[in-house]
Amino acid sequence: MTAAVLVMVLGAFFAGGAISFQQQKKPVWTVVLLATVALALIGYGWYAWFQGR
């Protein structure tokens, strides 16, 4: 398994956390923070995947 796949899986984990926090009515800033981290990780994972890293 490549590092890019691991980064994307970690991003999916953070995305699930953001969804869970939103359903639990946690503060908005925590949901936004988790969602931003998730998007950054998934985005970098895709970038690294297509660059062959």
Side-chain angles (χ1 to χ4, degrees):
M1 196 173 331
T2 65
V5 174
L6 293 175
V7 170
M8 286 188 281
V9 168
L10 185 60
F13 178 76
F14 274 95
I19 292 168
S20 175
F21 273 30
Q22 193 273 329
Q23 289 175 346
Q24 295 176 41
K25 308 254 190 272
K26 298 286 185 188
V28 174
W29 71 269
T30 58
V31 176
V32 170
L33 180 65
L34 285 175
T36 303
V37 171
L39 286 174
L41 287 169
I42 293 170
Y44 178 73
W46 276 106
Y47 172 76
W49 178 273
F50 285 115
Q51 293 295 318
R53 295 182 184 169

